[in-house]
């Protein structure tokens, strides 16, 4: 592919008998904010360390701007890393930490001073240069790590779960800041995280990994709205699964599926199917509407079911309802509160409710054998 | 209310230090200001500075320099060996096994280990025989009874005291810092020199104190496998005490040696502020041992 800056070709990595990476291929474009997302142990950090030069791939190639990186040692790659624990040098001041790469190049003092100041300003720490890392807060340490990694003007910045040590509020804040810095300097970011929220909110593209393999690559929108496998659907956000059998191919885009305990439901048809196929259908809980009364004039494009509320979890901005349809079937439904208690009758435990959703929002993630 | 018992808890230590540290040192200081009993040796309880003026002697000065030199060379060798060893141990999966290996020599008596070395290095020893049997040498090589043998045995004896404090500091070192340095453009060597070394300074300081002090107060090793060229201050003290029976001189030399070592340690620690309080405490213990050995 033309225009790609980082190319990973069939990279494999084994530690002893354990295969951490089983042939991974990626194309990352110049200037992209690219996330590697997956549960712990999926190989995302190993892949990042291979790009950084801390690990050698057992097989495969890592190209940067068309140049093979594998024989080049970490210190000579135009790539810098932000470590999970920041890895600031405890014996050096903030200024000297950021200046470290420039000192190695033996640049004149005045140049170092100007440049360090410029980068400390970029991360909004213009006055903390004299402090030692131990005197900084977690968020400040993170900023120093960012300044230090950027001062060499790398063509790729690698971020290894950079926000995992911060508390939730600060994480959100730093994420926005990272995004701003990315927009400002325009270099390629490769971001490793297990937090789908982080990956979705800042990435241009996301590669979802599991057990040493890439399971799906796409924009955050694609990953969330059209997962291609049950793993992705389940890992990114919450979802309802239900297994049934195809009974009728209605038209080009619709398929009717019969589910035990529920009956017939219409789903979006985006893959070849035939009558009798056993399928796994998914529907996101926030796409389902819920009420004690069935609204009038619903279009036939909506699936309507009824059940009993098994459990209600109130969490401020929304409530989660577990609606039981039968012995073995339960739906999770999220309801956003717009004007709670004001817009309609409250839904309580054991209430009989109706749930409905547009057929378009339910789709098939897996086709099994008949 | 609980605080009331505080002083009680330190009583055993106070008694111990008074009995085995303060009193012996005081006796040594006292004896150093007494007059030597002529002919039979020992002391007359009469004030004299003779023992101190006798120290201003080119021979003693030369031996002091020699002692300092041997201690310095041994310390440098020990630190140079201990840093890579401790580094490897700290990064190994078999840390505890290696720690055990370092400690094993302590299970055997110090003198027995020296005699074992004599069996290896002697003119008719294992090493000479082995070299001769493979035809590398015609006649034996003189390994023992010179300053090199003293340095070798000093290094062998005190190396664990360098490895252990270094190991405990390196083990706490965050190795991702080395990766960060590499990532930012440092070669492996630069990363070690500019990141690892400054961060394990406390360990290096402790290791230097732990090895230099006993090496400086060395007595048994030069006595058994040294020659006139490796004669050290510890040997002078022992000779004055047991052979010549000039007790005031032995005492004054001990006092000067202990004072100089203490000053040296304080100075060294001043230059290495990062040395922890723990290291300081251990150094004090080492110094005490040395002071006692010199006194015996």
């Amino acid at each position: 592919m033309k225009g790609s800056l980082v190319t990973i070709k069939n990279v494999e990595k084994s530690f002893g008998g354990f295969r951490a990476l089983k042939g991974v291929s990626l194309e990352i474009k110049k200037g992209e904010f690219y996330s590697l997302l997956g549960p712990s142990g999926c190989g995302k950090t190993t892949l990042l360390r291979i790009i950084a030069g801390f690990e050698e791939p057992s097989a495969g190639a890592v190209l940067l701007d068309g140049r093979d990186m594998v024989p080049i040692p970490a210190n000579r790659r135009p790539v810098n890393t932000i470590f999970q624990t920041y890895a600031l040098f405890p014996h050096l001041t903030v200024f000297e930490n950021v200046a470290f790469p420039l000192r190695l190049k033996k640049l004149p003092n005045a140049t170092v001073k100007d440049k360090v100041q410029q980068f400390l300003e970029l991360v909004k720490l213009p006055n903390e240069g004299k402090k030692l890392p131990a005197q900084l807060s977690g968020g400040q340490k993170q900023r120093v790590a960012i300044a230090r990694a950027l001062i060499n003007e790398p063509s790729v910045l690698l971020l290894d779960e950079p926000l995992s040590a911060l508390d939730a509020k600060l994480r959100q804040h730093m994420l926005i800041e990272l995004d701003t810095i990315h927009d400002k300097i325009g270099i390629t970011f490769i971001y490793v995280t297990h937090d789908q929220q982080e990956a979705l909110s800042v990435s241009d593209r996301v590669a979802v990994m599991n057990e040493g393999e890439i399971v799906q690559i796409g924009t955050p929108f694609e990953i969330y709205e059209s997962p291609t496998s049950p793993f992705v659907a389940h890992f990114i956000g919450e979802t309802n699964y239900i297994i049934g059998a195809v009974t009728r191919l209605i038209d080009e885009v619709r398929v009717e599926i019969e589910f035990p305990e529920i009956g017939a439901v219409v789903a979006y048809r985006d893959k070849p199917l035939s009558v009798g196929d056993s399928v796994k259908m998914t529907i996101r809980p926030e796409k389902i509407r819920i009420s004690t009364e069935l609204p009038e004039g619903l279009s036939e494009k909506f699936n309507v079911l009824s059940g009993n509320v098994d459990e209600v979890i109130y969490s401020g901005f929304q409530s989660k309802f577990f609606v039981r349809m039968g012995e073995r079937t339960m739906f999770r439904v999220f309801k956003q509160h717009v004007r709670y208690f004001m817009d309609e009758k409250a839904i309580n435990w054991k209430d009989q409710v109706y749930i409905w959703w547009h057929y378009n929002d339910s789709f098939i993630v897996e086709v099994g054998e008949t | 209310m609980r605080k009331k018992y505080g002083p009680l808890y330190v009583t055993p230590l106070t008694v111990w230090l008074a009995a085995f540290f303060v009193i012996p040192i005081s006796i040594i200081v006292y004896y150093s200001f007494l007059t030597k009993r002529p002919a039979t040796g020992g002391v007359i309880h009469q004030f004299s500075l003779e023992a101190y003026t006798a120290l201003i002697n080119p021979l003693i000065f030369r031996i002091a320099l020699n002692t300092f030199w041997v201690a310095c060379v041994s310390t440098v060798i020990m630190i140079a060996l201990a840093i890579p060893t401790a580094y490897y141990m700290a990064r190994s999966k078999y840390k505890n096994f290696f720690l055990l290996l370092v400690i094993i020599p302590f299970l055997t008596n110090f003198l027995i280990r020296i005699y074992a070395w004599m069996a290896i290095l002697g003119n008719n020893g294992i090493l000479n025989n082995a070299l001769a049997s493979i035809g590398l040498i015609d006649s034996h090589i003189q390994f023992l009874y010179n300053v090199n043998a003293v340095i070798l045995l000093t290094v062998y004896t005190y190396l664990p005291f360098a490895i252990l404090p270094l190991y405990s500091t390196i083990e706490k070192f965050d190795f991702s810092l080395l990766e960060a340095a590499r990532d930012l453009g440092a070669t492996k060597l630069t990363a070690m020199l500019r990141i690892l070394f400054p961060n394990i300074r406390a360990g290096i300081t402790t290791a230097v104190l732990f090895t230099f002090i006993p090496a400086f107060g060395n007595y048994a090793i030069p006595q058994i496998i040294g020659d006139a060229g490796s004669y050290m201050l510890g040997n002078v003290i022992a000779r004055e005490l047991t052979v010549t029976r000039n007790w005031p001189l032995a005492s004054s030399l001990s006092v000067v040696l202990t004072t100089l070592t203490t000053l040296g340690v304080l100075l060294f620690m001043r230059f290495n502020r990062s040395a922890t309080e723990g290291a300081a405490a251990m150094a004090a213990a080492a110094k005490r041992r040395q002071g006692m050995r010199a006194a015996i």
Side-chain angles (χ1 to χ4, degrees):
Chain A
M1 189 162 89
K2 275 220 161 155
S4 77
L5 180 72
V6 181
T7 308
I8 311 284
K9 262 193 226 159
N10 300 318
V11 164
E12 303 229 359
K13 179 74 192 178
S14 300
F15 296 105
F18 174 69
R19 287 178 75 200
L21 292 173
K22 304 169 184 165
V24 168
S25 295
L26 285 177
E27 299 275 355
I28 300 170
K29 291 185 208 124
K30 201 172 175 178
E32 216 175 358
F33 199 129
Y34 198 98
S35 288
L36 301 174
L37 174 65
S40 56
C42 73
K44 56 190 192 300
T45 299
T46 305
L47 183 57
L48 196 81
R49 290 173 59 79
I50 286 174
I51 301 173
F54 302 138
E55 307 276 0
E56 238 178 85
S58 313
V62 178
L63 305 179
L64 202 147
D65 234 349
R67 208 151 58 101
D68 186 12
M69 283 291 120
V70 175
I72 298 175
N75 54 317
R76 301 221 324 268
R77 295 190 188 190
V79 166
N80 284 120
T81 310
I82 292 179
F83 293 84
Q84 193 169 2
T85 52
Y86 317 130
L88 298 182
F89 306 133
H91 63 297
L92 298 178
T93 60
V94 167
F95 183 93
E96 285 304 328
N97 261 282
V98 179
F100 186 78
L102 308 181
R103 298 276 189 224
L104 289 175
K105 288 182 184 162
K106 300 200 162 64
L107 295 182
N109 231 346
T111 321
V112 172
K113 225 172 176 180
D114 288 350
K115 201 153 180 203
V116 171
Q117 197 55 35
Q118 180 198 331
F119 276 84
L120 284 177
E121 269 159 33
L122 175 77
V123 296
K124 298 181 184 159
L125 287 175
N127 302 318
E128 316 291 333
K130 288 202 176 80
K131 286 189 180 165
L132 284 171
Q135 294 168 288
L136 301 179
S137 69
Q140 286 175 321
K141 282 183 198 164
Q142 174 75 79
R143 286 156 198 269
V144 177
I146 295 171
R148 190 180 67 175
L150 289 175
I151 202 159
N152 250 346
E153 293 169 17
S155 48
V156 180
L157 183 70
L158 307 175
L159 302 102
D160 182 12
E161 307 239 7
L163 307 179
S164 58
L166 303 175
D167 61 73
K169 267 260 159 67
L170 198 55
R171 202 178 306 166
Q172 200 63 38
H173 184 76
M174 283 307 298
L175 198 59
I176 295 166
E177 213 146 299
L178 272 177
D179 201 23
T180 315
I181 290 171
H182 176 253
D183 290 346
K184 211 182 272 180
I185 59 171
I187 64 165
T188 308
F189 277 35
I190 303 179
Y191 190 101
V192 160
T193 183
H194 66 272
D195 185 322
Q196 36 114 358
Q197 224 36 275
E198 279 178 21
L200 293 183
S201 48
V202 288
S203 315
D204 296 316
R205 279 196 300 160
V206 179
V208 185
M209 294 182 69
N210 188 33
E211 291 176 351
E213 284 170 313
I214 292 188
V215 281
Q216 191 174 354
I217 298 175
T219 63
F221 186 80
E222 286 165 356
I223 297 281
Y224 187 80
E225 298 297 343
S226 32
T228 54
S229 61
F231 173 80
V232 176
H234 190 71
F235 186 70
I236 319 285
E238 287 187 56
T239 198
N240 294 296
Y241 287 129
I242 182 158
I243 295 169
V246 174
T247 47
R248 189 158 64 97
L249 304 170
I250 303 169
D251 54 31
E252 295 279 281
V253 291
R254 289 187 295 169
V255 56
E256 190 188 74
I257 308 163
E258 179 77 18
F259 294 104
E261 300 187 326
I262 294 176
V265 161
V266 180
Y268 181 66
R269 174 186 172 192
D270 65 345
K271 36 178 85 69
L273 291 169
S274 44
V275 173
D277 279 350
S278 160
V279 292
K280 193 180 230 180
M281 189 194 81
T282 175
I283 170 77
R284 298 270 186 205
E286 78 278 5
K287 303 253 164 64
I288 308 176
R289 304 282 305 274
I290 181 168
S291 178
T292 47
E293 289 147 34
L294 189 65
E296 280 170 41
L298 256 187
S299 131
E300 57 162 19
K301 288 181 172 169
F302 285 86
N303 291 300
V304 181
L305 302 173
S306 110
N308 288 303
V309 176
D310 220 46
E311 190 76 65
V312 185
I313 299 170
Y314 175 71
S315 55
F317 68 108
Q318 66 175 15
S319 285
K320 298 181 178 188
F321 301 95
F322 291 79
V323 181
R324 187 164 286 285
M325 323 302 273
E327 197 116 310
R328 283 163 47 227
T329 316
M330 178 128 82
F331 271 83
R332 265 180 294 177
V333 180
F334 296 170
K335 183 173 158 51
Q336 188 75 19
H337 297 312
V338 187
R339 297 186 64 201
Y340 199 50
F341 289 144
M342 309 274 262
D343 44 358
E344 63 184 82
K345 216 179 116 204
I347 302 161
N348 293 313
W349 183 54
K350 289 206 165 154
D351 279 355
Q352 209 230 324
V353 290
Y354 292 97
I355 63 170
W356 67 95
W357 71 90
H358 196 279
Y359 83 90
N360 223 343
D361 290 326
S362 50
F363 55 91
I364 290 151
V365 286
E366 202 173 52
V367 183
E369 289 93 57
T370 23
Chain B
M1 285 307 276
R2 286 179 58 200
K3 268 196 172 162
K4 213 169 75 177
Y5 297 102
L8 205 67
Y9 297 149
V10 295
T11 312
L13 185 67
T14 313
V15 171
W16 176 273
L17 279 180
F20 297 109
F21 181 58
V22 178
I23 295 173
I25 287 279
S26 308
I27 293 174
I28 295 170
V29 173
Y30 172 68
Y31 267 50
S32 72
F33 289 106
L34 294 181
T35 312
K36 180 194 165 202
R37 187 196 298 276
T40 56
V43 288
I44 303 167
H45 289 261
Q46 192 175 30
F47 178 80
S48 161
L49 282 176
E50 204 184 310
Y52 284 93
T53 51
L55 289 181
I56 308 167
N57 175 327
L59 184 66
I60 288 192
F61 191 70
R62 223 189 59 212
I63 293 173
L65 265 185
N66 190 46
T67 308
F68 185 72
W69 171 245
V70 169
C72 279
V73 172
S74 309
T75 303
V76 168
I77 296 174
M78 279 186 266
I79 300 295
L81 288 175
I83 291 176
T85 309
Y87 183 85
Y88 181 79
M89 283 169 64
R91 295 212 79 164
S92 163
K93 265 191 280 183
Y94 310 105
K95 290 176 186 184
N96 291 332
F97 174 69
F98 285 124
L99 269 181
L100 186 72
L101 288 188
V102 171
I103 293 163
I104 274 179
F106 292 116
L107 300 180
T108 314
N109 180 278
F110 165 64
L111 286 174
I112 291 176
R113 282 184 284 139
I114 292 185
Y115 283 108
W117 271 100
M118 292 173 75
I120 296 170
L121 299 177
N123 289 347
N124 202 16
I126 296 166
L127 189 59
N128 266 319
N129 282 336
L131 289 174
S133 68
I134 57 170
L136 271 177
I137 49 170
D138 294 332
S139 61
H140 67 82
I141 298 175
Q142 183 66 41
F143 290 115
L144 290 175
Y145 312 115
N146 56 43
V147 71
N148 296 331
V150 172
I151 292 175
L152 175 74
L153 265 281
T154 306
V155 169
Y156 161 76
T157 307
Y158 300 111
L159 190 59
F161 294 105
I163 293 176
L164 294 176
L166 278 166
Y167 168 80
S168 76
T169 353
I170 295 177
E171 208 218 347
K172 285 187 219 102
F173 178 75
D174 176 7
F175 291 104
S176 73
L177 295 182
L178 290 181
E179 280 188 350
R182 298 268 292 135
D183 187 64
L184 295 166
T187 59
K188 275 182 183 157
L189 182 69
T190 315
M192 287 283 174
L193 292 179
R194 293 177 72 158
I195 305 302
L196 177 71
F197 279 36
N199 281 301
I200 59 163
R201 223 168 68 171
I204 297 175
T205 305
T206 313
V208 167
L209 293 178
F210 272 29
T211 51
F212 183 81
I213 293 168
F216 193 65
N218 221 337
Y219 150 70
I221 295 171
Q223 183 76 25
I224 300 171
I225 49 140
D227 64 351
S230 57
Y231 210 66
M232 293 176 73
L233 285 180
N235 303 103
V236 179
I237 296 172
R239 195 196 56 198
E240 292 304 327
L241 198 67
T242 56
V243 183
T244 327
R245 286 178 64 81
N246 188 347
W247 290 3
L249 185 64
S251 301
S252 68
L253 197 51
S254 295
V255 169
V256 170
L257 193 63
T258 307
T259 313
L260 283 181
T261 319
T262 310
L263 286 178
V265 167
L266 289 178
L267 218 73
F268 186 71
M269 306 260 291
R270 242 188 116 86
F271 284 120
N272 286 282
R273 292 204 177 186
S274 61
T276 58
E277 281 180 32
M282 289 191 279
K287 193 178 76 218
R288 192 165 67 243
R289 276 202 309 274
Q290 190 266 311
M292 282 164 73
R293 190 173 304 135
I296 295 164

